[in-house]
Amino acid sequence: MCNIIGVTSPITVSKILKAYGFDTNKNSKATNQTKNGRTDKEFKQLLIEEYVKNRRSIDSIAQELSVSNRTILNYLKRYGISRRSRNEKSSCFTGGRNICSNGYVEIIVPGHPATNARGYVYEHRIVAEKKLGRYLRSDEVVHHIDGNKTNNSPDNLIVLSNEDHATLHALLKSGMSYEDAISPANKCQ
């Protein structure tokens, strides 16, 4: 194109084409699709409304607009909208308490020795440790007396060794009642 117009700089070509009404911005089509015909001011207001006021996640906004998360992040940066910190509660924050796929409840406990990579510890272990006044050892297991993994009442938990826990389950499987299989001395106190 430079040779045809008789200039050496592509920037000069772009300026000349723009002066004659030609759009030389290859990203403008994608930008207009992202903003769905909104002006910059309208799109900025949309992001403020959804991300800041309604506390929607970047992911949910991106999905609604059929764009990538990175696109929304770029617009937040362009418009000077600061991101929420990871510690700030988002709309999907559960208060640091989740029920895992295995049925157990986990809670956020920063600095706990048994904390997993996401910062969580099983709630029944924390309850048992508070009652015992110490951390559980690696060879200790917390057992739910009623079998309900979400019932973490101290009266429903006993701390057993791995061996005693296996024995308890064998006795229960044979038909023995909890009362007969568990002595009161084993309960968290």
Side-chain angles (χ1 to χ4, degrees):
M1 195 67 154
C2 292
N3 291 339
I4 295 170
I5 297 177
V7 296
T8 56
S9 170
I11 295 171
T12 305
V13 172
S14 178
K15 287 179 181 179
I16 292 169
L17 290 174
K18 201 173 223 178
Y20 285 100
F22 292 100
D23 186 9
T24 60
N25 184 354
K26 64 182 177 185
N27 294 325
S28 65
K29 188 174 183 181
T31 299
N32 288 335
Q33 287 175 345
T34 300
K35 296 192 306 186
N36 292 331
R38 295 176 187 92
T39 65
D40 266 348
K41 186 176 180 179
E42 291 168 338
F43 195 66
K44 179 180 180 179
Q45 193 56 43
L46 171 87
L47 290 179
I48 290 170
E49 183 71 28
E50 295 301 322
Y51 182 71
V52 178
K53 292 181 181 171
N54 295 340
R55 307 200 53 77
R56 284 186 57 197
S57 69
I58 290 170
D59 187 50
S60 70
I61 296 169
Q63 285 178 353
E64 182 180 309
L65 296 174
S66 301
V67 297
S68 69
N69 291 4
R70 173 54 50 200
T71 300
I72 299 301
L73 285 168
N74 288 341
Y75 276 108
L76 291 175
K77 186 175 181 179
R78 177 186 297 174
Y79 297 142
I81 301 170
S82 57
R83 297 217 21 221
R84 292 189 292 264
S85 72
R86 292 183 186 265
N87 296 332
E88 269 187 80
K89 295 177 185 175
S90 71
S91 60
C92 57
F93 184 66
T94 60
R97 189 173 194 268
N98 295 320
I99 298 178
C100 302
S101 59
N102 62 10
Y104 290 105
V105 177
E106 62 179 7
I107 59 175
I108 292 178
V109 185
H112 190 279
T115 301
N116 67 19
R118 295 180 359 256
Y120 287 87
V121 179
Y122 286 126
E123 184 179 54
H124 58 276
R125 293 184 63 85
I126 299 300
V127 172
E129 288 173 345
K130 283 183 181 175
K131 282 298 191 177
L132 294 172
R134 63 172 175 82
Y135 289 126
L136 293 175
R137 296 186 309 266
S138 60
D139 66 333
E140 292 178 314
V141 178
V142 180
H143 178 79
H144 291 84
I145 295 170
D146 67 0
N148 179 355
K149 296 175 181 180
T150 62
N151 180 1
N152 293 320
S153 165
D155 296 335
N156 186 48
L157 303 175
I158 59 171
V159 177
L160 302 168
S161 67
N162 286 323
E163 183 180 333
D164 289 343
H165 190 235
T167 302
L168 171 64
H169 277 280
L171 292 172
L172 294 173
K173 192 173 185 178
S174 72
M176 187 180 286
S177 70
Y178 274 107
E179 292 77 23
D180 294 335
I182 302 170
S183 69
N186 288 334
K187 288 188 180 180
C188 295
Q189 301 189 29

